[in-house]
């Protein structure tokens, strides 16, 4: 297992509000991708979603995933990797609060109210990275 280093993430991902893209395999064998809010803690990546979300059942059936955290605008840089997932049924509300602070801040909004009203059925997705790659195309894209 490679440990995810927060200083490396901060170097490649300056915009902390970028979501993570998680690649997974559906039961029919077709790959899928979903974007979720994320945080990292002690070398692992955490997301939160509803227990009934399709991604939860997909990851429970096949815990292998790919991931990428990167901006959509040039110059392209970010991190990507592969890992395994655990669904944490008792940590969803805790991570939802952390994620709301990161992505929404202190501001009360319709979205924050909706998320808090439905937080009892949140689960956490814990990604343990096994391989991590970083990339930075700033030099080759400096005039883009």
């Amino acid at each position: 297992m490679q440990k995810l280093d927060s200083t490396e993430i901060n170097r490649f991902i300056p915009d902390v509000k970028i979501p993570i893209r998680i690649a997974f395999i559906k039961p029919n064998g077709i790959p899928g991708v979903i974007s979720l809010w994320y945080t990292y803690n002690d070398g692992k990546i955490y997301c939160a979603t509803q227990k009934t979300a399709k991604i939860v059942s997909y990851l429970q059936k096949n815990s292998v995933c790919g991931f990428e955290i990167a901006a959509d605008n040039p110059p392209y840089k970010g991190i990507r990797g592969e890992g395994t997932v655990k669904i944490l049924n008792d940590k969803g509300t805790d991570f939802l609060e952390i994620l709301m602070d990161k992505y929404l801040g202190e501001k009360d909004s319709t979205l924050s109210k909706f998320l808090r009203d439905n937080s009892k059925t949140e689960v956490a997705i814990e990604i343990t990275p096994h391989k991590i790659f970083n990339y930075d195309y700033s030099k080759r894209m400096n005039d883009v």
Side-chain angles (χ1 to χ4, degrees), residues 19-22 34-40 44-50 55 59 67 86-88 91-96 99 103 122-127:
I20 187 171
R21 296 173 190 98
I22 302 173
I34 188 170
S35 296
L36 293 172
W37 291 349
Y38 78 95
T39 188
Y40 51 89
K44 296 184 180 185
I45 301 167
Y46 295 91
C47 304
T49 193
Q50 285 290 304
I55 183 68
L59 291 171
F67 60 87
K86 256 199 252 183
I87 304 300
L88 307 175
K91 298 287 185 188
T93 303
D94 297 337
F95 280 106
L96 178 62
L99 294 167
Y103 288 88
E122 280 298 299
V123 296
I125 297 172
E126 177 189 81
I127 301 171

PDB file of all heavy atoms in Angstrom, residues 19-22 34-40 44-50 55 59 67 86-88 91-96 99 103 122-127:
ATOM      1  N   PRO A  19     -13.937  17.643  -6.684  1.00  0.00           N
ATOM      2  CA  PRO A  19     -14.372  16.318  -6.212  1.00  0.00           C
ATOM      3  C   PRO A  19     -13.415  15.224  -6.682  1.00  0.00           C
ATOM      4  O   PRO A  19     -12.587  15.451  -7.572  1.00  0.00           O
ATOM      5  CB  PRO A  19     -15.747  16.142  -6.859  1.00  0.00           C
ATOM      6  CG  PRO A  19     -15.673  16.971  -8.097  1.00  0.00           C
ATOM      7  CD  PRO A  19     -14.763  18.133  -7.788  1.00  0.00           C
ATOM      8  N   ILE A  20     -13.537  14.084  -6.091  1.00  0.00           N
ATOM      9  CA  ILE A  20     -12.801  12.908  -6.537  1.00  0.00           C
ATOM     10  C   ILE A  20     -13.674  12.171  -7.545  1.00  0.00           C
ATOM     11  O   ILE A  20     -14.906  12.179  -7.430  1.00  0.00           O
ATOM     12  CB  ILE A  20     -12.448  11.985  -5.344  1.00  0.00           C
ATOM     13  CG1 ILE A  20     -11.524  10.842  -5.792  1.00  0.00           C
ATOM     14  CG2 ILE A  20     -13.695  11.451  -4.649  1.00  0.00           C
ATOM     15  CD1 ILE A  20     -10.976  10.024  -4.633  1.00  0.00           C
ATOM     16  N   ARG A  21     -13.055  11.579  -8.531  1.00  0.00           N
ATOM     17  CA  ARG A  21     -13.765  10.703  -9.469  1.00  0.00           C
ATOM     18  C   ARG A  21     -13.387   9.277  -9.095  1.00  0.00           C
ATOM     19  O   ARG A  21     -12.195   8.960  -9.023  1.00  0.00           O
ATOM     20  CB  ARG A  21     -13.366  11.015 -10.910  1.00  0.00           C
ATOM     21  CG  ARG A  21     -13.775  12.405 -11.350  1.00  0.00           C
ATOM     22  CD  ARG A  21     -13.199  12.723 -12.742  1.00  0.00           C
ATOM     23  NE  ARG A  21     -13.382  14.125 -13.058  1.00  0.00           N
ATOM     24  CZ  ARG A  21     -12.441  15.052 -12.911  1.00  0.00           C
ATOM     25  NH1 ARG A  21     -11.251  14.732 -12.467  1.00  0.00           N
ATOM     26  NH2 ARG A  21     -12.688  16.298 -13.227  1.00  0.00           N
ATOM     27  N   ILE A  22     -14.387   8.464  -8.858  1.00  0.00           N
ATOM     28  CA  ILE A  22     -14.151   7.072  -8.473  1.00  0.00           C
ATOM     29  C   ILE A  22     -14.657   6.175  -9.599  1.00  0.00           C
ATOM     30  O   ILE A  22     -15.809   6.276 -10.016  1.00  0.00           O
ATOM     31  CB  ILE A  22     -14.877   6.720  -7.163  1.00  0.00           C
ATOM     32  CG1 ILE A  22     -14.423   7.650  -6.031  1.00  0.00           C
ATOM     33  CG2 ILE A  22     -14.636   5.252  -6.797  1.00  0.00           C
ATOM     34  CD1 ILE A  22     -15.213   7.497  -4.746  1.00  0.00           C
ATOM     35  N   ILE A  34     -18.092   7.917 -10.825  1.00  0.00           N
ATOM     36  CA  ILE A  34     -18.919   8.847 -10.068  1.00  0.00           C
ATOM     37  C   ILE A  34     -18.013   9.899  -9.435  1.00  0.00           C
ATOM     38  O   ILE A  34     -16.870   9.604  -9.084  1.00  0.00           O
ATOM     39  CB  ILE A  34     -19.748   8.106  -8.982  1.00  0.00           C
ATOM     40  CG1 ILE A  34     -20.757   9.042  -8.336  1.00  0.00           C
ATOM     41  CG2 ILE A  34     -18.838   7.459  -7.955  1.00  0.00           C
ATOM     42  CD1 ILE A  34     -21.759   8.343  -7.431  1.00  0.00           C
ATOM     43  N   SER A  35     -18.509  11.117  -9.340  1.00  0.00           N
ATOM     44  CA  SER A  35     -17.783  12.191  -8.657  1.00  0.00           C
ATOM     45  C   SER A  35     -18.416  12.404  -7.290  1.00  0.00           C
ATOM     46  O   SER A  35     -19.642  12.501  -7.184  1.00  0.00           O
ATOM     47  CB  SER A  35     -17.852  13.488  -9.464  1.00  0.00           C
ATOM     48  OG  SER A  35     -17.194  13.341 -10.692  1.00  0.00           O
ATOM     49  N   LEU A  36     -17.584  12.469  -6.270  1.00  0.00           N
ATOM     50  CA  LEU A  36     -18.046  12.682  -4.901  1.00  0.00           C
ATOM     51  C   LEU A  36     -17.124  13.665  -4.191  1.00  0.00           C
ATOM     52  O   LEU A  36     -15.956  13.811  -4.552  1.00  0.00           O
ATOM     53  CB  LEU A  36     -18.046  11.363  -4.112  1.00  0.00           C
ATOM     54  CG  LEU A  36     -19.032  10.289  -4.530  1.00  0.00           C
ATOM     55  CD1 LEU A  36     -18.741   8.990  -3.771  1.00  0.00           C
ATOM     56  CD2 LEU A  36     -20.466  10.735  -4.281  1.00  0.00           C
ATOM     57  N   TRP A  37     -17.662  14.305  -3.175  1.00  0.00           N
ATOM     58  CA  TRP A  37     -16.812  15.088  -2.292  1.00  0.00           C
ATOM     59  C   TRP A  37     -15.900  14.124  -1.556  1.00  0.00           C
ATOM     60  O   TRP A  37     -16.279  12.985  -1.276  1.00  0.00           O
ATOM     61  CB  TRP A  37     -17.664  15.833  -1.284  1.00  0.00           C
ATOM     62  CG  TRP A  37     -18.501  16.938  -1.843  1.00  0.00           C
ATOM     63  CD1 TRP A  37     -18.447  17.483  -3.099  1.00  0.00           C
ATOM     64  CD2 TRP A  37     -19.530  17.638  -1.150  1.00  0.00           C
ATOM     65  NE1 TRP A  37     -19.367  18.477  -3.223  1.00  0.00           N
ATOM     66  CE2 TRP A  37     -20.048  18.598  -2.041  1.00  0.00           C
ATOM     67  CE3 TRP A  37     -20.057  17.552   0.117  1.00  0.00           C
ATOM     68  CZ2 TRP A  37     -21.063  19.467  -1.682  1.00  0.00           C
ATOM     69  CZ3 TRP A  37     -21.071  18.413   0.479  1.00  0.00           C
ATOM     70  CH2 TRP A  37     -21.573  19.365  -0.415  1.00  0.00           C
ATOM     71  N   TYR A  38     -14.697  14.589  -1.220  1.00  0.00           N
ATOM     72  CA  TYR A  38     -13.755  13.716  -0.526  1.00  0.00           C
ATOM     73  C   TYR A  38     -12.967  14.498   0.515  1.00  0.00           C
ATOM     74  O   TYR A  38     -12.871  15.724   0.487  1.00  0.00           O
ATOM     75  CB  TYR A  38     -12.770  13.081  -1.519  1.00  0.00           C
ATOM     76  CG  TYR A  38     -11.687  14.060  -1.941  1.00  0.00           C
ATOM     77  CD1 TYR A  38     -10.455  14.075  -1.294  1.00  0.00           C
ATOM     78  CD2 TYR A  38     -11.924  14.994  -2.934  1.00  0.00           C
ATOM     79  CE1 TYR A  38      -9.489  15.000  -1.648  1.00  0.00           C
ATOM     80  CE2 TYR A  38     -10.962  15.918  -3.286  1.00  0.00           C
ATOM     81  CZ  TYR A  38      -9.741  15.923  -2.637  1.00  0.00           C
ATOM     82  OH  TYR A  38      -8.800  16.843  -2.973  1.00  0.00           O
ATOM     83  N   THR A  39     -12.406  13.766   1.423  1.00  0.00           N
ATOM     84  CA  THR A  39     -11.399  14.278   2.346  1.00  0.00           C
ATOM     85  C   THR A  39     -10.380  13.169   2.521  1.00  0.00           C
ATOM     86  O   THR A  39     -10.663  12.008   2.201  1.00  0.00           O
ATOM     87  CB  THR A  39     -12.019  14.709   3.697  1.00  0.00           C
ATOM     88  OG1 THR A  39     -11.033  15.374   4.475  1.00  0.00           O
ATOM     89  CG2 THR A  39     -12.583  13.526   4.470  1.00  0.00           C
ATOM     90  N   TYR A  40      -9.210  13.497   2.981  1.00  0.00           N
ATOM     91  CA  TYR A  40      -8.230  12.462   3.265  1.00  0.00           C
ATOM     92  C   TYR A  40      -7.762  12.597   4.697  1.00  0.00           C
ATOM     93  O   TYR A  40      -7.725  13.674   5.275  1.00  0.00           O
ATOM     94  CB  TYR A  40      -7.059  12.460   2.282  1.00  0.00           C
ATOM     95  CG  TYR A  40      -6.403  13.803   2.086  1.00  0.00           C
ATOM     96  CD1 TYR A  40      -5.365  14.221   2.895  1.00  0.00           C
ATOM     97  CD2 TYR A  40      -6.833  14.646   1.079  1.00  0.00           C
ATOM     98  CE1 TYR A  40      -4.780  15.465   2.717  1.00  0.00           C
ATOM     99  CE2 TYR A  40      -6.253  15.880   0.889  1.00  0.00           C
ATOM    100  CZ  TYR A  40      -5.222  16.284   1.719  1.00  0.00           C
ATOM    101  OH  TYR A  40      -4.656  17.503   1.533  1.00  0.00           O
ATOM    102  N   LYS A  44      -5.729   7.741   3.853  1.00  0.00           N
ATOM    103  CA  LYS A  44      -6.916   7.170   3.220  1.00  0.00           C
ATOM    104  C   LYS A  44      -7.835   8.293   2.743  1.00  0.00           C
ATOM    105  O   LYS A  44      -7.787   9.401   3.250  1.00  0.00           O
ATOM    106  CB  LYS A  44      -7.654   6.247   4.180  1.00  0.00           C
ATOM    107  CG  LYS A  44      -6.821   5.036   4.553  1.00  0.00           C
ATOM    108  CD  LYS A  44      -7.579   4.079   5.423  1.00  0.00           C
ATOM    109  CE  LYS A  44      -6.672   2.902   5.761  1.00  0.00           C
ATOM    110  NZ  LYS A  44      -7.386   1.883   6.512  1.00  0.00           N
ATOM    111  N   ILE A  45      -8.668   7.958   1.784  1.00  0.00           N
ATOM    112  CA  ILE A  45      -9.622   8.910   1.219  1.00  0.00           C
ATOM    113  C   ILE A  45     -11.010   8.525   1.719  1.00  0.00           C
ATOM    114  O   ILE A  45     -11.357   7.342   1.731  1.00  0.00           O
ATOM    115  CB  ILE A  45      -9.591   8.860  -0.320  1.00  0.00           C
ATOM    116  CG1 ILE A  45      -8.196   9.185  -0.842  1.00  0.00           C
ATOM    117  CG2 ILE A  45     -10.629   9.818  -0.910  1.00  0.00           C
ATOM    118  CD1 ILE A  45      -7.988   8.857  -2.301  1.00  0.00           C
ATOM    119  N   TYR A  46     -11.791   9.525   2.111  1.00  0.00           N
ATOM    120  CA  TYR A  46     -13.137   9.273   2.616  1.00  0.00           C
ATOM    121  C   TYR A  46     -14.155  10.107   1.857  1.00  0.00           C
ATOM    122  O   TYR A  46     -13.924  11.283   1.573  1.00  0.00           O
ATOM    123  CB  TYR A  46     -13.225   9.611   4.106  1.00  0.00           C
ATOM    124  CG  TYR A  46     -12.371   8.708   4.957  1.00  0.00           C
ATOM    125  CD1 TYR A  46     -11.053   9.036   5.257  1.00  0.00           C
ATOM    126  CD2 TYR A  46     -12.874   7.514   5.450  1.00  0.00           C
ATOM    127  CE1 TYR A  46     -10.261   8.204   6.030  1.00  0.00           C
ATOM    128  CE2 TYR A  46     -12.092   6.675   6.220  1.00  0.00           C
ATOM    129  CZ  TYR A  46     -10.783   7.026   6.500  1.00  0.00           C
ATOM    130  OH  TYR A  46     -10.007   6.188   7.254  1.00  0.00           O
ATOM    131  N   CYS A  47     -15.274   9.490   1.550  1.00  0.00           N
ATOM    132  CA  CYS A  47     -16.425  10.150   0.936  1.00  0.00           C
ATOM    133  C   CYS A  47     -17.652   9.761   1.764  1.00  0.00           C
ATOM    134  O   CYS A  47     -17.585   8.867   2.602  1.00  0.00           O
ATOM    135  CB  CYS A  47     -16.631   9.659  -0.500  1.00  0.00           C
ATOM    136  SG  CYS A  47     -15.199   9.854  -1.563  1.00  0.00           S
ATOM    137  N   ALA A  48     -18.763  10.407   1.496  1.00  0.00           N
ATOM    138  CA  ALA A  48     -20.018  10.042   2.144  1.00  0.00           C
ATOM    139  C   ALA A  48     -21.118  10.043   1.099  1.00  0.00           C
ATOM    140  O   ALA A  48     -21.098  10.849   0.163  1.00  0.00           O
ATOM    141  CB  ALA A  48     -20.351  11.013   3.278  1.00  0.00           C
ATOM    142  N   THR A  49     -22.057   9.132   1.255  1.00  0.00           N
ATOM    143  CA  THR A  49     -23.204   9.066   0.363  1.00  0.00           C
ATOM    144  C   THR A  49     -24.316   8.309   1.069  1.00  0.00           C
ATOM    145  O   THR A  49     -24.110   7.723   2.133  1.00  0.00           O
ATOM    146  CB  THR A  49     -22.829   8.399  -0.982  1.00  0.00           C
ATOM    147  OG1 THR A  49     -23.889   8.619  -1.925  1.00  0.00           O
ATOM    148  CG2 THR A  49     -22.586   6.913  -0.832  1.00  0.00           C
ATOM    149  N   GLN A  50     -25.479   8.315   0.479  1.00  0.00           N
ATOM    150  CA  GLN A  50     -26.608   7.597   1.048  1.00  0.00           C
ATOM    151  C   GLN A  50     -26.387   6.088   0.961  1.00  0.00           C
ATOM    152  O   GLN A  50     -25.850   5.591  -0.028  1.00  0.00           O
ATOM    153  CB  GLN A  50     -27.895   7.970   0.324  1.00  0.00           C
ATOM    154  CG  GLN A  50     -28.424   9.335   0.680  1.00  0.00           C
ATOM    155  CD  GLN A  50     -28.947   9.359   2.106  1.00  0.00           C
ATOM    156  OE1 GLN A  50     -29.807   8.588   2.496  1.00  0.00           O
ATOM    157  NE2 GLN A  50     -28.399  10.257   2.912  1.00  0.00           N
ATOM    158  N   ILE A  55     -23.784   3.268  -5.992  1.00  0.00           N
ATOM    159  CA  ILE A  55     -22.342   3.112  -5.826  1.00  0.00           C
ATOM    160  C   ILE A  55     -22.001   2.247  -4.615  1.00  0.00           C
ATOM    161  O   ILE A  55     -21.048   1.475  -4.641  1.00  0.00           O
ATOM    162  CB  ILE A  55     -21.637   4.503  -5.752  1.00  0.00           C
ATOM    163  CG1 ILE A  55     -20.120   4.360  -5.656  1.00  0.00           C
ATOM    164  CG2 ILE A  55     -22.133   5.318  -4.574  1.00  0.00           C
ATOM    165  CD1 ILE A  55     -19.448   3.833  -6.878  1.00  0.00           C
ATOM    166  N   LEU A  59     -19.776  -1.136  -4.926  1.00  0.00           N
ATOM    167  CA  LEU A  59     -18.498  -1.280  -4.223  1.00  0.00           C
ATOM    168  C   LEU A  59     -18.528  -2.412  -3.197  1.00  0.00           C
ATOM    169  O   LEU A  59     -17.491  -2.986  -2.886  1.00  0.00           O
ATOM    170  CB  LEU A  59     -18.104   0.044  -3.573  1.00  0.00           C
ATOM    171  CG  LEU A  59     -17.733   1.157  -4.558  1.00  0.00           C
ATOM    172  CD1 LEU A  59     -17.572   2.490  -3.836  1.00  0.00           C
ATOM    173  CD2 LEU A  59     -16.481   0.802  -5.337  1.00  0.00           C
ATOM    174  N   PHE A  67      -9.284   5.912  -8.971  1.00  0.00           N
ATOM    175  CA  PHE A  67      -9.699   7.254  -8.559  1.00  0.00           C
ATOM    176  C   PHE A  67      -8.800   8.296  -9.208  1.00  0.00           C
ATOM    177  O   PHE A  67      -7.674   8.011  -9.611  1.00  0.00           O
ATOM    178  CB  PHE A  67      -9.682   7.403  -7.034  1.00  0.00           C
ATOM    179  CG  PHE A  67      -8.339   7.169  -6.400  1.00  0.00           C
ATOM    180  CD1 PHE A  67      -7.421   8.201  -6.268  1.00  0.00           C
ATOM    181  CD2 PHE A  67      -7.995   5.911  -5.942  1.00  0.00           C
ATOM    182  CE1 PHE A  67      -6.184   7.977  -5.689  1.00  0.00           C
ATOM    183  CE2 PHE A  67      -6.759   5.681  -5.363  1.00  0.00           C
ATOM    184  CZ  PHE A  67      -5.851   6.715  -5.229  1.00  0.00           C
ATOM    185  N   LYS A  86     -13.855   0.179   1.557  1.00  0.00           N
ATOM    186  CA  LYS A  86     -14.669  -0.366   2.644  1.00  0.00           C
ATOM    187  C   LYS A  86     -15.827   0.595   2.840  1.00  0.00           C
ATOM    188  O   LYS A  86     -15.644   1.816   2.787  1.00  0.00           O
ATOM    189  CB  LYS A  86     -13.867  -0.380   3.950  1.00  0.00           C
ATOM    190  CG  LYS A  86     -13.359  -1.717   4.382  1.00  0.00           C
ATOM    191  CD  LYS A  86     -13.026  -1.677   5.857  1.00  0.00           C
ATOM    192  CE  LYS A  86     -11.533  -1.712   6.056  1.00  0.00           C
ATOM    193  NZ  LYS A  86     -11.154  -1.751   7.456  1.00  0.00           N
ATOM    194  N   ILE A  87     -17.003   0.050   3.072  1.00  0.00           N
ATOM    195  CA  ILE A  87     -18.167   0.874   3.415  1.00  0.00           C
ATOM    196  C   ILE A  87     -18.266   0.906   4.931  1.00  0.00           C
ATOM    197  O   ILE A  87     -18.328  -0.143   5.579  1.00  0.00           O
ATOM    198  CB  ILE A  87     -19.469   0.311   2.793  1.00  0.00           C
ATOM    199  CG1 ILE A  87     -19.339   0.169   1.269  1.00  0.00           C
ATOM    200  CG2 ILE A  87     -20.671   1.167   3.183  1.00  0.00           C
ATOM    201  CD1 ILE A  87     -19.065   1.446   0.520  1.00  0.00           C
ATOM    202  N   LEU A  88     -18.252   2.102   5.500  1.00  0.00           N
ATOM    203  CA  LEU A  88     -18.324   2.279   6.951  1.00  0.00           C
ATOM    204  C   LEU A  88     -19.723   2.783   7.305  1.00  0.00           C
ATOM    205  O   LEU A  88     -20.024   3.963   7.154  1.00  0.00           O
ATOM    206  CB  LEU A  88     -17.255   3.267   7.424  1.00  0.00           C
ATOM    207  CG  LEU A  88     -15.813   2.962   6.988  1.00  0.00           C
ATOM    208  CD1 LEU A  88     -14.882   4.079   7.431  1.00  0.00           C
ATOM    209  CD2 LEU A  88     -15.365   1.620   7.520  1.00  0.00           C
ATOM    210  N   LYS A  91     -19.978   5.687  10.147  1.00  0.00           N
ATOM    211  CA  LYS A  91     -19.164   6.903  10.045  1.00  0.00           C
ATOM    212  C   LYS A  91     -19.692   7.919   9.027  1.00  0.00           C
ATOM    213  O   LYS A  91     -19.091   8.968   8.829  1.00  0.00           O
ATOM    214  CB  LYS A  91     -17.718   6.544   9.657  1.00  0.00           C
ATOM    215  CG  LYS A  91     -17.004   5.675  10.667  1.00  0.00           C
ATOM    216  CD  LYS A  91     -16.663   6.473  11.877  1.00  0.00           C
ATOM    217  CE  LYS A  91     -15.829   5.625  12.835  1.00  0.00           C
ATOM    218  NZ  LYS A  91     -15.641   6.301  14.095  1.00  0.00           N
ATOM    219  N   GLY A  92     -20.800   7.606   8.383  1.00  0.00           N
ATOM    220  CA  GLY A  92     -21.311   8.481   7.335  1.00  0.00           C
ATOM    221  C   GLY A  92     -21.629   9.884   7.802  1.00  0.00           C
ATOM    222  O   GLY A  92     -21.240  10.868   7.153  1.00  0.00           O
ATOM    223  N   THR A  93     -22.313  10.011   8.911  1.00  0.00           N
ATOM    224  CA  THR A  93     -22.695  11.331   9.423  1.00  0.00           C
ATOM    225  C   THR A  93     -21.461  12.147   9.788  1.00  0.00           C
ATOM    226  O   THR A  93     -21.392  13.342   9.497  1.00  0.00           O
ATOM    227  CB  THR A  93     -23.625  11.188  10.644  1.00  0.00           C
ATOM    228  OG1 THR A  93     -24.760  10.412  10.245  1.00  0.00           O
ATOM    229  CG2 THR A  93     -24.096  12.526  11.156  1.00  0.00           C
ATOM    230  N   ASP A  94     -20.471  11.495  10.422  1.00  0.00           N
ATOM    231  CA  ASP A  94     -19.240  12.195  10.801  1.00  0.00           C
ATOM    232  C   ASP A  94     -18.529  12.758   9.577  1.00  0.00           C
ATOM    233  O   ASP A  94     -18.131  13.924   9.554  1.00  0.00           O
ATOM    234  CB  ASP A  94     -18.285  11.254  11.544  1.00  0.00           C
ATOM    235  CG  ASP A  94     -18.866  10.747  12.858  1.00  0.00           C
ATOM    236  OD1 ASP A  94     -19.765  11.413  13.419  1.00  0.00           O
ATOM    237  OD2 ASP A  94     -18.414   9.684  13.313  1.00  0.00           O
ATOM    238  N   PHE A  95     -18.360  11.923   8.552  1.00  0.00           N
ATOM    239  CA  PHE A  95     -17.662  12.394   7.354  1.00  0.00           C
ATOM    240  C   PHE A  95     -18.503  13.378   6.553  1.00  0.00           C
ATOM    241  O   PHE A  95     -17.957  14.292   5.932  1.00  0.00           O
ATOM    242  CB  PHE A  95     -17.174  11.217   6.503  1.00  0.00           C
ATOM    243  CG  PHE A  95     -15.903  10.642   7.039  1.00  0.00           C
ATOM    244  CD1 PHE A  95     -15.901   9.437   7.709  1.00  0.00           C
ATOM    245  CD2 PHE A  95     -14.704  11.335   6.910  1.00  0.00           C
ATOM    246  CE1 PHE A  95     -14.728   8.916   8.233  1.00  0.00           C
ATOM    247  CE2 PHE A  95     -13.525  10.828   7.428  1.00  0.00           C
ATOM    248  CZ  PHE A  95     -13.531   9.613   8.091  1.00  0.00           C
ATOM    249  N   LEU A  96     -19.813  13.235   6.581  1.00  0.00           N
ATOM    250  CA  LEU A  96     -20.655  14.212   5.899  1.00  0.00           C
ATOM    251  C   LEU A  96     -20.427  15.611   6.476  1.00  0.00           C
ATOM    252  O   LEU A  96     -20.304  16.586   5.727  1.00  0.00           O
ATOM    253  CB  LEU A  96     -22.134  13.830   6.009  1.00  0.00           C
ATOM    254  CG  LEU A  96     -23.103  14.814   5.359  1.00  0.00           C
ATOM    255  CD1 LEU A  96     -22.858  14.929   3.862  1.00  0.00           C
ATOM    256  CD2 LEU A  96     -24.544  14.395   5.643  1.00  0.00           C
ATOM    257  N   LEU A  99     -17.132  16.924   5.235  1.00  0.00           N
ATOM    258  CA  LEU A  99     -17.234  17.275   3.815  1.00  0.00           C
ATOM    259  C   LEU A  99     -18.045  18.546   3.608  1.00  0.00           C
ATOM    260  O   LEU A  99     -17.701  19.376   2.757  1.00  0.00           O
ATOM    261  CB  LEU A  99     -17.838  16.111   3.035  1.00  0.00           C
ATOM    262  CG  LEU A  99     -16.953  14.859   2.990  1.00  0.00           C
ATOM    263  CD1 LEU A  99     -17.751  13.657   2.490  1.00  0.00           C
ATOM    264  CD2 LEU A  99     -15.717  15.095   2.160  1.00  0.00           C
ATOM    265  N   TYR A 103     -16.624  21.763   1.604  1.00  0.00           N
ATOM    266  CA  TYR A 103     -17.203  22.178   0.324  1.00  0.00           C
ATOM    267  C   TYR A 103     -18.230  23.308   0.435  1.00  0.00           C
ATOM    268  O   TYR A 103     -18.414  24.049  -0.521  1.00  0.00           O
ATOM    269  CB  TYR A 103     -17.820  20.977  -0.390  1.00  0.00           C
ATOM    270  CG  TYR A 103     -16.780  20.032  -0.936  1.00  0.00           C
ATOM    271  CD1 TYR A 103     -16.267  19.006  -0.164  1.00  0.00           C
ATOM    272  CD2 TYR A 103     -16.293  20.183  -2.238  1.00  0.00           C
ATOM    273  CE1 TYR A 103     -15.297  18.143  -0.665  1.00  0.00           C
ATOM    274  CE2 TYR A 103     -15.323  19.328  -2.741  1.00  0.00           C
ATOM    275  CZ  TYR A 103     -14.830  18.316  -1.946  1.00  0.00           C
ATOM    276  OH  TYR A 103     -13.864  17.475  -2.444  1.00  0.00           O
ATOM    277  N   GLU A 122     -26.613   8.161   5.920  1.00  0.00           N
ATOM    278  CA  GLU A 122     -25.323   8.312   5.220  1.00  0.00           C
ATOM    279  C   GLU A 122     -24.376   7.198   5.643  1.00  0.00           C
ATOM    280  O   GLU A 122     -24.397   6.749   6.792  1.00  0.00           O
ATOM    281  CB  GLU A 122     -24.636   9.626   5.600  1.00  0.00           C
ATOM    282  CG  GLU A 122     -25.067  10.877   4.958  1.00  0.00           C
ATOM    283  CD  GLU A 122     -24.900  11.002   3.468  1.00  0.00           C
ATOM    284  OE1 GLU A 122     -23.777  10.938   2.947  1.00  0.00           O
ATOM    285  OE2 GLU A 122     -25.913  11.219   2.817  1.00  0.00           O
ATOM    286  N   VAL A 123     -23.556   6.773   4.712  1.00  0.00           N
ATOM    287  CA  VAL A 123     -22.444   5.865   5.007  1.00  0.00           C
ATOM    288  C   VAL A 123     -21.172   6.529   4.488  1.00  0.00           C
ATOM    289  O   VAL A 123     -21.226   7.423   3.642  1.00  0.00           O
ATOM    290  CB  VAL A 123     -22.616   4.475   4.349  1.00  0.00           C
ATOM    291  CG1 VAL A 123     -23.839   3.763   4.910  1.00  0.00           C
ATOM    292  CG2 VAL A 123     -22.691   4.571   2.838  1.00  0.00           C
ATOM    293  N   ALA A 124     -20.046   6.086   5.022  1.00  0.00           N
ATOM    294  CA  ALA A 124     -18.761   6.584   4.536  1.00  0.00           C
ATOM    295  C   ALA A 124     -18.149   5.550   3.598  1.00  0.00           C
ATOM    296  O   ALA A 124     -18.313   4.344   3.795  1.00  0.00           O
ATOM    297  CB  ALA A 124     -17.820   6.863   5.705  1.00  0.00           C
ATOM    298  N   ILE A 125     -17.483   6.040   2.583  1.00  0.00           N
ATOM    299  CA  ILE A 125     -16.703   5.203   1.677  1.00  0.00           C
ATOM    300  C   ILE A 125     -15.244   5.469   2.011  1.00  0.00           C
ATOM    301  O   ILE A 125     -14.786   6.618   1.927  1.00  0.00           O
ATOM    302  CB  ILE A 125     -16.990   5.557   0.203  1.00  0.00           C
ATOM    303  CG1 ILE A 125     -18.458   5.292  -0.132  1.00  0.00           C
ATOM    304  CG2 ILE A 125     -16.060   4.783  -0.726  1.00  0.00           C
ATOM    305  CD1 ILE A 125     -18.878   5.800  -1.509  1.00  0.00           C
ATOM    306  N   GLU A 126     -14.537   4.432   2.428  1.00  0.00           N
ATOM    307  CA  GLU A 126     -13.121   4.557   2.769  1.00  0.00           C
ATOM    308  C   GLU A 126     -12.295   3.900   1.666  1.00  0.00           C
ATOM    309  O   GLU A 126     -12.453   2.707   1.404  1.00  0.00           O
ATOM    310  CB  GLU A 126     -12.839   3.864   4.097  1.00  0.00           C
ATOM    311  CG  GLU A 126     -11.373   3.871   4.494  1.00  0.00           C
ATOM    312  CD  GLU A 126     -11.125   2.996   5.705  1.00  0.00           C
ATOM    313  OE1 GLU A 126     -11.019   1.754   5.538  1.00  0.00           O
ATOM    314  OE2 GLU A 126     -11.067   3.551   6.823  1.00  0.00           O
ATOM    315  N   ILE A 127     -11.449   4.683   1.018  1.00  0.00           N
ATOM    316  CA  ILE A 127     -10.582   4.166  -0.035  1.00  0.00           C
ATOM    317  C   ILE A 127      -9.166   4.048   0.518  1.00  0.00           C
ATOM    318  O   ILE A 127      -8.591   5.028   0.997  1.00  0.00           O
ATOM    319  CB  ILE A 127     -10.565   5.087  -1.270  1.00  0.00           C
ATOM    320  CG1 ILE A 127     -11.978   5.251  -1.837  1.00  0.00           C
ATOM    321  CG2 ILE A 127      -9.602   4.551  -2.330  1.00  0.00           C
ATOM    322  CD1 ILE A 127     -12.093   6.309  -2.917  1.00  0.00           C
TER     323      ILE A 127
END
